[in-house]
Amino acid sequence: NFDVVDHTTPLPGLVNEAQRRDAIADTLKRFLERNSIKGEVVCLSFPGMHALSRFFSIPPTDAKHTQALMRYEARQQIPLPLDQLAWDYHIWETPDSDSNSPRDAMLLATKQFHISQRLQPLEDAGIKPDILQCDCVALYNFYRYTLTSQTPRDENAWTILCDIGADGTNVVACASDHMWYRSLPRGGNEMTQALVRRAKLKFSQAEHLKIHPEQARRLSDLFDTWQPVYDELLRDIRDSLEAFSKTHRRAAVERVLLCGGAMRTHGLHRHLVE
């Protein structure tokens, strides 16, 4: 099954944390009324902007010493005490690599504070998540297990997933045995805020107009309002792709896939493609 339950009031339009908590609680209540999750695995995501990630190679080691090695790397590469973090790692094992070859590794961490904030609404609703996953890693898993075939792929062939959400944008570079990402603090809410400032609307009114641009008095006014936001977003995405290219000089980008709720904004797809 698949279901999307929108908040009755967009969260950025709420004035304080108490209203935000109530809105999330109401949304979860409506979700549970419509869906039974008894016996199901519950996976909760957290935004890449709240994650610290490091990509590097490690020397060949046996399984017994790998965890100690990654803990050492975590202490060296993450500028925060480990007891303040929730962290994990992944090591890519390629079928054609021999036992003496370095292996690509990813280290991912987030503050326990952010985790507690993310879990609290679900715990209040009686939901205990089984899995906590960074949304950028979830996007990579979507690519890895949905968009790739079982046949071997060129190790230098990459796909870029550009996920434009409400609060931010994830640029996720995906290969069959590796990933890279950058999270940008720019998303669909900036387009809504631009309408709030220009048209003197409430956030909920501007959000409605963004989804239904045909209801605007003049469509050209919407484009004039969004053009600077589109330009800044495009510049940030280009900068991210350039940063990826500098660290992966042999990478050949085969395709760029656009996703995320903000892609419904009228004219954004055309602006990014052109």
Side-chain angles (χ1 to χ4, degrees):
N1 203 350
F2 180 83
D3 195 7
V4 175
V5 184
D6 290 322
H7 297 301
T8 304
T9 303
L11 298 186
L14 301 176
V15 297
N16 57 52
E17 187 60 28
Q19 290 183 348
R20 181 184 176 92
R21 287 196 301 268
D22 290 344
I24 294 174
D26 174 69
T27 303
L28 285 171
K29 179 182 177 182
R30 287 184 288 120
F31 173 80
L32 293 174
E33 289 173 349
R34 288 157 48 169
N35 303 276
S36 173
I37 61 172
K38 185 177 181 180
E40 301 288 353
V41 175
V42 178
C43 182
L44 177 68
S45 73
F46 66 93
M49 287 185 296
H50 290 167
L52 299 169
S53 60
R54 297 292 185 270
F55 301 92
F56 51 91
S57 294
I58 63 171
T61 57
D62 57 33
K64 180 180 178 180
H65 295 95
T66 297
Q67 187 167 0
L69 174 61
M70 294 305 294
R71 178 172 288 274
Y72 170 80
E73 292 289 350
R75 290 196 185 99
Q76 297 300 311
Q77 302 209 31
I78 298 179
L80 290 170
L82 295 190
D83 59 3
Q84 296 180 12
L85 303 172
W87 66 280
D88 206 341
Y89 63 88
H90 179 77
I91 299 171
W92 279 272
E93 302 281 0
T94 56
D96 56 348
S97 62
D98 58 59
S99 59
N100 295 319
S101 300
R103 295 173 296 168
D104 291 329
M106 176 183 69
L107 189 64
L108 193 68
T110 187
K111 292 182 179 179
Q112 292 282 6
F113 169 75
H114 293 314
I115 298 299
S116 299
Q117 277 191 322
R118 204 73 170 175
L119 292 176
Q120 192 61 55
L122 277 80
E123 292 176 351
D124 292 342
I127 303 172
K128 185 178 180 180
D130 300 283
I131 299 169
L132 183 67
Q133 188 174 56
C134 175
D135 55 6
C136 296
V137 177
L139 283 167
Y140 173 76
N141 285 333
F142 164 72
Y143 161 84
R144 182 68 180 82
Y145 296 105
T146 306
L147 299 180
T148 59
S149 64
Q150 298 300 316
T151 57
R153 294 174 57 85
D154 181 356
E155 63 178 9
N156 294 318
W158 290 74
T159 293
I160 304 295
L161 298 179
C162 188
D163 167 43
I164 305 175
D167 296 322
T169 296
N170 295 316
V171 179
V172 185
C174 307
S176 59
D177 59 354
H178 200 28
M179 74 169 287
W180 177 95
Y181 79 86
R182 175 178 284 185
S183 292
L184 310 169
R186 195 184 304 279
N189 285 346
E190 289 208 15
M191 304 165 201
T192 307
Q193 293 288 6
L195 284 177
V196 169
R197 292 189 296 269
R198 177 160 180 164
K200 303 295 189 289
L201 300 173
K202 294 181 180 179
F203 191 95
S204 57
Q205 294 171 326
E207 186 71 14
H208 178 82
L209 191 59
K210 186 177 74 173
I211 297 173
H212 302 283
E214 72 281 358
Q215 297 180 11
R217 292 182 180 178
R218 288 187 297 273
L219 199 58
S220 59
D221 289 344
L222 293 184
F223 293 143
D224 291 342
T225 301
W226 289 334
Q227 184 74 31
V229 183
Y230 287 177
D231 289 341
E232 291 174 355
L233 178 60
L234 182 58
R235 184 183 65 248
D236 288 348
I237 293 173
R238 284 175 172 167
D239 290 345
S240 299
L241 294 177
E242 288 179 6
F244 166 72
S245 298
K246 288 179 181 178
T247 57
H248 298 76
R249 298 188 181 279
R250 297 178 60 188
V253 177
E254 289 188 330
R255 54 186 174 173
V256 178
L257 305 179
L258 303 174
C259 56
M263 283 305 305
R264 294 181 296 174
T265 308
H266 193 68
L268 178 56
H269 175 271
R270 182 179 61 193
H271 189 87
L272 296 177
V273 171
E274 293 179 353

